[in-house]
Amino acid sequence: MPGWELIGEEERAAVNDVFDHGAVLYRYGWAEKRENIFRVDEFERVFAERMGVKHALAVSSGTGALIAALKAMGISRGDEVITQSHTFIATIEAIVEVGATPVITEIDASLNMDPADLEKKITKKTKAIIPVHMMGVSARMDEILKIARAHKIPVLEDNAQCCGGTYKKKKLGTLGDASITSFDFGKVLTTGEGGMIITNNEAIFRRAREYSDHGHELNPQFPRGEDTRSISGINLKMTELQGAIGLAQIKKMDYIIGRQRENKSRIKKALSDISTITFREVPNPEGDTGDSVIFSFSYRPETSAFMKLWMAKGFGTKNLPDAINWHFAGTWDHMLKHYRRYKGKDLSKVFAQSDDLLRRAVALPIFVNMPDEQIEKIVTAVHDCIRQM
Ligand SMILES: *Cc1c(COP(=O)(O)O)cnc(C)c1O
């Protein structure tokens, strides 16, 4: 997913430019000192335009974006929020942080939300559904949206890992009522830390902006010091340095995704002759951002045997299996034990279907810069490992 691979002169120049025009590192105010250049504003405008939505709100992290979005959607104590078992831990943390109860679905062969399980987990208390587009691949949005609409439950897409991806030609992040993305150092675009909420719903946008800025309503009738407020908020504002870097990074988005897709398809194709592995199901292959090549073996011991040989050759993986503990709810007893539904249970059994799918999987990271020799090395090494198993 790596915007970090392309951090270079453009990002350096963007940061220097902040210092060359007044060095105002804060997103609001000091109009004269900053020569009227507002970079976070500009980043939001460019991002919204790029996504084709009315509103974009930049914040300090993807996690902050999730919290602000849930707050803005009116989620609070006693509400249930449904998300999937395969996600970065932050999705569940945000649900916990707003006081709601996380309800977690199994994943299917797409390694994203299993719509059949979603249907089963909806109750009268369900107030939001968060499908997560994990590792560059969209969730099954047709099925998920159909279920959500039938029950009139809003959808918040967690698009932290699939920014720039599409689903049936629609941009991911624009299918639900709102979405978030992340600009942390491992994501498609990076500002070091950072996040964005996008939506066409003005009420959600406004409440998220107020929440992320101490309740500030940005009332045009008053200077900031006399601004009005009606809700209690916190501070999740993005800085101008992040905004400046974001503006440089977004120009590279098409290139990043184009290269990754190309590299992914070359590797996948070269591995397609191996009969003992099955590739991850991709609901909408044209929309894939090419984050990783994921394949699985039929039985867990085969995956372990492959991993032993793979690591011995000096190669690594992306999350599966190396960081599975940060990406699978079946290992999150420390958070889930506080909820009756999960308390005292063996979570790997609660999410047995997900546990089986994720623990048989191997994810090879795809990079923007992958010279031919590197691709050949990877392909040869996978074949070698499988021959030796
Ligand atoms: C990275 C990530 C987040 C959180 O983003 P941060 O910017 O790191 O706080 C949320 N959800 C998913 C799926 C992520 O991968």
Side-chain angles (χ1 to χ4, degrees):
M1 267 189 288
W4 60 261
E5 281 182 79
L6 299 180
I7 287 182
E9 286 312 313
E10 299 80 8
E11 286 76 3
R12 185 201 295 273
V15 169
N16 282 339
D17 196 63
V18 176
F19 287 92
D20 292 341
H21 293 88
V24 177
L25 307 183
Y26 186 70
R27 69 166 298 178
Y28 295 121
W30 282 283
E32 208 170 310
K33 179 169 162 64
R34 72 203 299 157
E35 299 168 35
N36 260 311
I37 305 170
F38 291 84
R39 287 166 181 87
V40 176
D41 281 359
E42 177 74 0
F43 186 32
E44 289 171 341
R45 202 183 55 69
V46 169
F47 196 84
E49 198 166 279
R50 168 74 210 236
M51 291 293 157
V53 293
K54 287 190 194 142
H55 308 288
L57 176 74
V59 290
S60 52
S61 72
T63 310
L66 279 165
I67 294 170
L70 288 171
K71 280 276 180 186
M73 291 164 82
I75 309 301
S76 64
R77 204 160 294 281
D79 294 340
E80 291 178 358
V81 176
I82 302 182
T83 189
Q84 65 198 45
S85 61
H86 178 216
T87 184
F88 179 53
I89 197 166
T91 318
I92 316 273
E93 285 172 331
I95 298 169
V96 168
E97 207 54 35
V98 301
T101 301
V103 174
I104 301 164
T105 74
E106 295 277 19
I107 52 165
D108 62 22
S110 70
L111 305 188
N112 285 327
M113 185 176 279
D114 178 356
D117 198 38
L118 166 63
E119 182 95 63
K120 288 184 208 153
K121 297 230 151 90
I122 290 176
T123 73
K124 281 202 189 80
K125 292 184 175 172
T126 309
K127 291 292 155 57
I129 298 168
I130 312 182
V132 189
H133 309 301
M134 281 300 277
M135 304 183 86
V137 168
S138 69
R140 296 185 200 280
M141 290 307 288
D142 278 349
E143 292 87 338
I144 292 166
L145 289 170
K146 195 166 163 225
I147 295 166
R149 282 178 190 142
H151 292 86
K152 298 193 166 57
I153 301 167
V155 170
L156 171 64
E157 294 172 75
D158 182 337
N159 196 28
Q161 298 200 6
C162 208
C163 188
T166 57
Y167 180 79
K168 301 194 176 168
K169 304 214 156 56
K170 289 186 186 147
K171 295 196 169 70
L172 287 180
T174 67
L175 289 102
D177 296 82
S179 75
I180 70 96
T181 196
S182 160
F183 307 121
D184 80 24
F185 206 57
K187 300 293 165 44
V188 179
L189 306 178
T190 185
T191 59
E193 298 279 4
M196 192 80 83
I197 299 170
I198 60 171
T199 181
N200 285 314
N201 181 317
E202 184 167 4
I204 292 178
F205 167 69
R206 282 181 165 272
R207 276 196 299 265
R209 191 176 65 190
E210 290 163 22
Y211 177 75
S212 64
D213 184 22
H214 307 291
H216 269 282
E217 290 180 336
L218 302 188
N219 191 327
Q221 291 169 2
F222 301 104
R224 193 169 161 85
E226 292 164 34
D227 199 2
T228 50
R229 64 191 166 257
S230 57
I231 63 161
S232 169
I234 55 171
N235 179 9
L236 298 169
K237 289 193 295 297
M238 180 178 266
T239 71
E240 285 292 281
L241 293 177
Q242 290 165 294
I245 292 172
L247 281 164
Q249 281 265 301
I250 201 169
K251 294 198 182 114
K252 303 179 179 181
M253 188 149 126
D254 289 334
Y255 177 76
I256 291 170
I257 292 172
R259 288 300 303 270
Q260 288 187 161
R261 275 187 184 146
E262 162 82 19
N263 294 338
K264 173 172 178 172
S265 82
R266 283 178 65 189
I267 292 178
K268 205 173 155 180
K269 207 159 157 203
L271 299 180
S272 62
D273 61 327
I274 304 173
S275 61
T276 50
I277 60 173
T278 310
F279 290 108
R280 173 190 195 180
E281 245 178 78
V282 180
N284 182 228
E286 314 86 78
D288 186 341
T289 62
D291 170 78
S292 42
V293 173
I294 308 184
F295 55 81
S296 38
F297 294 89
S298 305
Y299 303 100
R300 249 190 235 191
E302 293 176 288
T303 306
S304 309
F306 173 85
M307 279 309 297
K308 218 178 235 165
L309 295 163
W310 184 246
M311 308 271 286
K313 284 186 187 290
F315 290 99
T317 57
K318 178 165 187 175
N319 301 352
L320 303 173
D322 62 282
I324 194 168
N325 290 345
W326 288 96
H327 296 90
F328 174 40
T331 70
W332 298 339
D333 190 56
H334 69 293
M335 326 165 67
L336 297 180
K337 69 182 177 191
H338 301 294
Y339 301 91
R340 212 170 20 179
R341 178 188 292 263
Y342 301 115
K343 191 178 171 162
K345 301 229 170 102
D346 176 349
L347 295 176
S348 64
K349 298 220 169 69
V350 172
F351 308 112
Q353 180 179 317
S354 310
D355 188 66
D356 175 55
L357 285 162
L358 293 173
R359 294 203 186 271
R360 285 188 289 114
V362 174
L364 307 182
I366 296 295
F367 298 97
V368 177
N369 300 316
M370 287 184 115
D372 291 349
E373 314 85 78
Q374 194 188 350
I375 290 184
E376 273 158 38
K377 249 196 217 157
I378 290 167
V379 168
T380 307
V382 173
H383 280 102
D384 285 350
C385 290
I386 290 193
R387 224 173 289 122
Q388 287 166 43
M389 279 169 64

